[in-house]
Amino acid sequence: MAAHLAILLVEDDVALRRTYERALQRAGHEVCSAGDVAEALQWLDHRTFDLAFVDYDLPDGNGADVVEYAVRHCRVSAPYCITGTADTQTVVAVTRAGCLDVFEKPVGHRRLNALIQQFIDGAEDGGADLDAWRERYAPNILGDSPALRNVLDVVRNVADSDATVLITGESGTGKELLARAVHDASPRRDRPFVALNCAAIPESLIEAELFGHTRGAFTGAVTAREGRIASADGGTLFLDEIGDMPLAAQAKLLRVLQEGTVAPIGSNDHVRIDIRVVAATNKDLEQLVEEGKFRADLYYRLAVIPVHLPPLRERIDDIPALAEAFVARASARNGRNVTGLTADALDALRRHRWPGNIRELMHTIERAVLLRRSGKLTARDIPLKFARGTVPNIPVQSAAPIGDNLDLRAAIDALERRYIEEALQRTGGNRTEAASLLGLNRTTLVEKIRKHMSA
Ligand SMILES: Nc1ncnc2c1ncn2[C@@H]1O[C@H](COP(=O)(O)OP(=O)(O)OP(=O)(O)O)[C@@H](O)[C@H]1O
Ligand SMILES: [Mg+2]
């Protein structure tokens, strides 16, 4: 594994933060620093880290909040707490949140480096284990970004349990593929994997699909039918687009999960069932809970193991492996002789925003392969309309002066935040008008506001 790690540093003492920052950067690591909880969560919303060093007492909360968030969203592989006073209360709080260890200040560079080395050694062993596991259970999930590896590592660790897994991520990020891997890697792999797409079925039929029905249970129920829950007995039930499940069905599903029994509509004969549930959604369930559209109790029941698949633009390191594989597959399937991609083609793919994520990448490449017929795909063969290289003319003086940290994405995020704040200010907080000023549609703006302000 690379000796250059991505490290999140959370410390409110500016001088100390600078000292750590310099030492870590000198050792070749990439450091993102934050002075409070809000700033730290903003980083965590945008990317993943190998290590985190988190102070306990912070101006707007404490280190346990940061670590808890990072662990819950699979953002940091190894979180550590470095605190002024490692009293019992602090140690308990951060350990419970998921910290691997707690150190009392002062913590010198040598100590930090030892921790980092320990992480690298451990990751090398773990990395080899993960590769073997992937080959065996998830050979079709491609990509080597740290973000994807983190996700797969979580799946590997929980696959042999019956814990409910909730997979979140934008459309086309591979949620269904991952759900299948959870099943294939579990002891239930020889039993059925039954999927139900809650968005594809009319509301009125969902309950019949899930629970089944007896003959004559309702108009149109000419014969009795087994529900998906019963069909999945012994195996895995995959509830796709769970955010679209109507509230009434949610209540019944919760009861089934709590009681471990199911009765078809029209009958009171409850039969025992043994299923493992994996659910997926591209919606923000926590938000739906707040809006009263999703039951909080069901949410907690499903989100035992939350797994987030980041959008492709946040894991561009996956692009080469995916693109090469899609070229090979499209070429073979369509009787073409396209042999790969040029470096400039890969560059173009890395710059695109991929709103449709991996599905969009796959289709884009398939089209290019069909038209190209043979040789290597070049950037010109791949029409990408919305490349993010085309930055509008933004007055540079509105951005903060460029400091030591040249992380482009962080800078763009900061700029985005300023523009949104400005637009909201000018429109007196009217989101519809603000969106129009910014040239965004309203939903996109609302998502961005949540992203920035949730921190
Ligand atoms: N890591 C990956 N490696 C290879 N193929 C992938 C990967 N992730 C996704 N794909 C492919 O991309 C397509 C979309 O994936 P999938 O259907 O799992 O996405 P999804 O998150 O369920 O999308 P939606 O929310 O639209 O249902 C599929 O054809 C899948 O095989
Ligand atoms: Mg899907």
Side-chain angles (χ1 to χ4, degrees), residues 9 11 13-21 82 105 107:
L9 179 66
E11 169 62 62
D13 179 328
V14 184
L16 187 57
R17 189 167 75 226
R18 294 296 293 157
T19 317
Y20 280 149
E21 222 169 61
I82 297 181
K105 289 174 189 170
V107 173

Side-chain angles (χ1 to χ4, degrees), residues 278-291:
V278 178
T281 179
N282 56 22
K283 302 213 163 125
D284 182 340
L285 281 191
E286 283 179 30
Q287 169 102 3
L288 291 185
V289 168
E290 266 171 42
E291 291 169 3

